[in-house]
Amino acid sequence: MILRQDSPPDLLGFPPAPWVLQGLLGLLVLVAAPHVPNLPPGLILLCGTLGIWWLVSVRKTGRPPAPGMLIRATVVVAASLLVWAEYGRILGQNSGVALLTSLLFLKLLEFNSRRDPLLVILLCNFLTMTHFFHSQSIWMGGYAIAVTWLSIAALISLHHPGPGVVAILKKSGVLLLQAVPVMVVLFLLFPRIAQPLWGLPADAFSTTGTIGLSDSMSPGSVTNLIAEGGVAFRATFDKKPPPIKKRYWRGPVLWVIWPDGVWRTPGTPLPRDPITIEPLGPTWHYSVTMEPTQDHWLFALDLPVEAPEKSGLLPDFQLKSHLKVSTTKRYRIASIIDYRAGVDLHPDMWEQGLQLPFEGNRKTRQLAQKWSEESDSDEEIVERALELFRQEPFIYTLTPPLQMGKNRIDQFLFETRKGFCEHYAGAFTYLMRAADIPARVVLGYQGGKINPLGNHLTVRNADAHAWSEVWLAGRGWVRVDPTAAVAPERIERGLSAAMNQRSDELPFLLRPNREWLENIWSTWDLVDNGWNQWVLGFNVKRQARFLSGLGLGELSYRGMALGLAAGVGGLFGLFALIMLRPGLTGKGDPVVKLYQRLQLKLAKKGVSIHPNEGPMDYAARAARHLPQAKAPIDRFIHLYVALRYRERQMNKGVRLLKRLLGRIDKAIS
């Protein structure tokens, strides 16, 4: 059935009042908003056009538009084609969310009965859950709760629009608060699974948490990460953490340099020789809570000596998880920061550590060969390279000049001399290889700040760093950080200290002398860490420890299901006892109070209501006993039923009920 523009509202109050329809559109926009950055532009334009069309129609006519079947079919086909053109499929996480979002807006063109707005609200709740595909932060959790609050208010407004917006929002909030105990029981007792359900589609996690290091390094890649900000991971040490200049957090190791100057991880696996690490100092034990990166890298203090569960330690001391880090990941690990590692170098790794493009950077190659001919040892070559960075006017900056072509290293070393850590690490490694010393680039983080409130170490993307490793006979792989030769403050005191003279280049939150901002950040960091640890990190093991702490031991899925049913059932029973206790039902409702006053008046005339008697039957019986008051009694009962179950003009109806009660009183007195 297609709703005519001039048809009146039906007995169930459809279509809803214009303000309810506008509020419904606002709810739909809020639900779809978090998905906008991931939707195809054409689909955003289509949904926006439908929303504007719907809003204009409601404001002009008080009713939704009612296009014919041909228009609706055309729009459905257009939306499906846009999704297919963007993702190459209809099924899947991203394409499915895009299709669901578009169908939700398309539903606005088919608003023919009371079922349709209810269906829109139901789909809004479903789409709200998909917000967590892109982010599981505390912000997104709060946003989802706020949207759910509004969707409950929309449901209330469809059934009882009379009390006004504020009263509806208040009632919605009360209902939401009443659901909190049930939510807590479900959170604690619902059986956890190792992988989220939304990880099942093939394209799952393709857009979630994309901030972080990648497996390549080009001029500007680390600099851009500084500007993105955000937390990379947090670490909690069993004892006092090492000093800041010793905190090198190892990530991807880059062996291959392409002709365009980009450093990458090797395309083929490295030789699987036994890993040899000789500790020269104490072992540090700690836990890491890592933000999702959509990659396999796990970060650990340089060098990790063991791999966490479901991960491995590669021959170049990289930690790689068997699965992509798609959600917040927590692991225990141990590292040594003073070591001798990889003393015996495999011939294939030796060859790969000397690889350079066939041409380009002639000046750099000549300089390295000159050092090689004039030096007595590889250590002397390393020192001459560092001396170059110390003595020449190199500048550590977030805004280095653009370098183009196959001679980027030459441009940096002999012309611009301005760069960030990736420039220095790349140029140093190139120099060493040109001098026949095996070398590689390591990406990761350096430093991190201890949160005094949580006593944990927070490492942000602003701590991203790149350094070099050279292989020296008898010493193995040795870390060399050329950035420390140019800007030692970066390693000893952090990025803000190193950029003190050029703080305007830093993002606002990283600029020095903002203690008040640091205090706010520390507090928020503590809250965010708690969210990661106790909400996102409440995995199978933590749930088992929690249940064991309650004395329940290791529960089977059947036992947990029974506990869940008992907990939720007990809460519902408790709510029922509270809400149905004598004297509470209808308390505060002016309509119920007036109905109770009518019962008292009629009872005085010998017409008491029976326990199982409905208002209509009661009115009919009262009219037979008191025929002189039949007309006002009938009107009173019909209005009472309307106000209790479907009427929207609550205030006006209550006033009318009072007048009818007065007329009944006069008729029977």
Side-chain angles (χ1 to χ4, degrees):
M1 180 188 74
I2 301 299
L3 183 70
R4 290 173 55 85
Q5 293 288 325
D6 56 352
S7 60
D10 61 19
L11 293 177
L12 294 177
F14 185 84
W19 72 269
V20 175
L21 293 173
Q22 294 174 29
L24 201 58
L25 179 62
L27 171 66
L28 205 159
V29 171
L30 289 174
V31 170
H35 291 301
V36 168
N38 304 298
L39 294 177
L43 203 64
I44 297 173
L45 181 62
L46 177 63
C47 294
T49 303
L50 293 177
I52 293 173
W53 181 16
W54 203 74
L55 181 62
V56 170
S57 176
V58 169
R59 292 179 69 88
K60 281 188 174 180
T61 67
R63 298 173 184 280
M69 177 64 76
L70 180 60
I71 294 178
R72 286 183 287 159
T74 302
V75 177
V76 169
V77 172
S80 301
L81 290 177
L82 285 170
V83 172
W84 184 272
E86 178 69 17
Y87 303 103
R89 64 172 78 179
I90 294 296
L91 301 178
Q93 178 183 296
N94 296 326
S95 54
V97 170
L99 188 64
L100 178 61
T101 305
S102 62
L103 292 179
L104 198 51
F105 277 86
L106 291 173
K107 187 62 184 171
L108 297 177
L109 303 183
E110 193 182 49
F111 239 64
N112 303 324
S113 68
R114 190 178 180 82
R115 179 182 66 89
D116 294 322
L118 297 178
L119 183 59
V120 167
I121 294 174
L122 177 65
L123 291 176
C124 281
N125 288 328
F126 186 77
L127 192 62
T128 298
M129 291 190 291
T130 64
H131 293 170
F132 297 106
F133 288 165
H134 305 295
S135 171
Q136 297 174 26
S137 67
I138 192 170
W139 291 111
M140 187 56 75
Y143 188 84
I145 290 175
V147 170
T148 303
W149 172 47
L150 294 177
S151 70
I152 296 173
L155 273 176
I156 296 173
S157 66
L158 286 174
H159 292 85
H160 300 283
V165 176
V166 175
I168 289 175
L169 290 174
K170 183 179 177 181
K171 183 175 291 186
S172 174
V174 171
L175 289 173
L176 199 61
L177 289 175
Q178 288 174 344
V180 169
V182 179
M183 179 188 72
V184 172
V185 170
L186 289 172
F187 175 78
L188 295 175
L189 298 181
F190 194 86
R192 293 292 193 275
I193 55 178
Q195 191 75 0
L197 290 176
W198 49 80
L200 297 178
D203 62 343
F205 306 129
S206 58
T207 60
T208 308
T210 53
I211 293 177
L213 294 173
S214 69
D215 57 356
S216 65
M217 183 189 78
S218 58
S221 58
V222 179
T223 311
N224 293 335
L225 196 57
I226 300 293
E228 287 182 4
V231 173
F233 58 88
R234 296 180 177 89
T236 303
F237 286 82
D238 292 356
K239 298 179 180 178
K240 186 179 179 181
I244 184 172
K245 64 181 181 181
K246 294 278 190 177
R247 292 184 214 140
Y248 282 85
W249 302 89
R250 193 179 188 87
V253 180
L254 312 181
W255 287 83
V256 182
I257 178 172
W258 285 31
D260 59 0
V262 177
W263 291 85
R264 300 180 187 278
T265 53
T268 56
L270 295 170
R272 300 294 299 184
D273 272 2
I275 297 175
T276 57
I277 303 176
E278 180 185 350
L280 301 178
T283 302
W284 303 81
H285 297 271
Y286 53 100
S287 301
V288 174
T289 304
M290 187 172 155
E291 296 293 323
T293 60
Q294 307 311 319
D295 220 319
H296 293 269
W297 318 119
L298 298 180
F299 296 101
L301 268 181
D302 197 16
L303 283 175
V305 293
E306 62 183 29
E309 186 180 2
K310 297 180 180 178
S311 66
L313 189 60
L314 301 187
D316 52 7
F317 316 113
Q318 297 179 70
L319 272 179
K320 290 193 75 172
S321 171
H322 296 169
L323 300 173
K324 286 186 176 180
V325 182
S326 305
T327 59
T328 302
K329 184 177 180 64
R330 189 173 188 274
Y331 50 91
R332 287 278 302 171
I333 195 167
S335 295
I336 52 175
I337 58 178
D338 298 303
Y339 54 85
R340 183 181 292 113
V343 175
D344 299 321
L345 188 61
H346 192 283
D348 291 346
M349 295 176 72
W350 177 288
E351 183 178 351
Q352 199 152 19
L354 294 176
Q355 175 264 335
L356 284 175
F358 289 113
E359 58 181 0
N361 301 306
R362 181 177 55 84
K363 291 183 179 179
T364 303
R365 293 173 192 257
Q366 291 175 347
L367 178 62
Q369 287 299 319
K370 178 175 178 292
W371 287 345
S372 180
E373 294 169 359
E374 296 174 353
S375 302
D376 296 329
S377 66
D378 290 347
E379 284 86 347
E380 185 178 342
I381 297 174
V382 172
E383 186 56 35
R384 293 187 71 167
L386 294 176
E387 198 63 24
L388 170 73
F389 291 123
R390 293 192 192 101
Q391 298 298 327
E392 298 298 327
F394 283 94
I395 296 176
Y396 185 66
T397 176
L398 283 169
T399 56
L402 184 63
Q403 296 150 6
M404 304 287 290
K406 61 183 180 182
N407 297 312
R408 292 180 176 183
I409 305 293
D410 279 0
Q411 294 171 27
F412 169 65
L413 288 178
F414 303 104
E415 298 174 18
T416 64
R417 290 175 175 164
K418 293 180 180 178
F420 202 56
C421 57
E422 68 264 38
H423 297 83
Y424 294 100
F428 179 85
T429 306
Y430 197 103
L431 277 167
M432 294 300 103
R433 290 188 174 189
D436 294 327
I437 301 175
R440 58 195 183 192
V441 174
V442 182
L443 282 178
Y445 297 88
Q446 199 280 326
K449 189 167 186 176
I450 296 175
N451 187 322
L453 301 178
N455 201 29
H456 59 268
L457 186 75
T458 301
V459 179
R460 305 184 229 180
N461 286 313
D463 299 312
H465 193 51
W467 61 92
S468 299
E469 285 182 342
V470 295
W471 188 88
L472 301 175
R475 299 176 59 187
W477 288 103
V478 177
R479 180 177 61 234
V480 180
D481 191 348
T483 301
V486 180
E489 300 88 356
R490 166 65 182 87
I491 309 305
E492 296 172 358
R493 296 166 54 199
L495 179 63
S496 298
M499 300 294 296
N500 193 33
Q501 301 300 320
R502 291 177 298 282
S503 60
D504 55 329
E505 295 180 11
L506 289 169
F508 179 77
L509 293 177
L510 297 180
R511 295 179 184 177
N513 303 322
R514 285 178 167 77
E515 288 79 8
W516 61 272
L517 200 57
E518 283 295 324
N519 293 334
I520 295 175
W521 168 259
S522 296
T523 304
W524 170 249
D525 184 62
L526 179 67
V527 174
D528 194 39
N529 187 46
W531 171 266
N532 287 340
Q533 298 292 332
W534 300 107
V535 179
L536 300 182
F538 194 72
N539 52 22
V540 178
K541 292 182 178 178
R542 287 209 162 187
Q543 187 181 44
R545 284 201 297 270
F546 170 77
L547 295 176
S548 179
L550 294 179
L552 299 177
E554 293 187 6
L555 284 180
S556 62
Y557 281 124
R558 182 179 179 183
M560 294 177 72
L562 290 174
L564 193 64
V568 175
L571 283 173
F572 284 155
L574 179 62
F575 290 155
L577 286 175
I578 294 174
M579 298 179 69
L580 298 178
R581 71 178 189 268
L584 187 64
T585 305
K587 185 178 180 180
D589 188 335
V591 176
V592 174
K593 287 182 177 178
L594 289 169
Y595 183 53
Q596 290 171 343
R597 286 176 59 186
L598 174 68
Q599 293 175 32
L600 289 175
K601 291 181 182 297
L602 295 180
K604 291 179 180 176
K605 297 298 179 181
V607 190
S608 299
I609 189 169
H610 298 156
N612 58 346
E613 195 172 34
M616 301 299 291
D617 292 338
Y618 180 48
R621 189 162 58 85
R624 288 195 299 271
H625 284 274
L626 303 166
Q628 70 277 20
K630 180 178 185 305
I633 289 176
D634 285 345
R635 288 195 61 190
F636 183 98
I637 291 300
H638 279 85
L639 182 56
Y640 166 76
V641 171
L643 290 173
R644 287 286 287 165
Y645 301 108
R646 64 173 182 265
E647 185 57 56
R648 290 174 288 175
Q649 303 295 327
M650 177 65 77
N651 295 333
K652 183 179 177 181
V654 170
R655 290 196 297 270
L656 184 55
L657 271 183
K658 289 180 179 177
R659 287 201 295 270
L660 288 171
L661 193 61
R663 291 176 58 184
I664 293 172
D665 192 37
K666 288 181 180 178
I668 64 178
S669 60

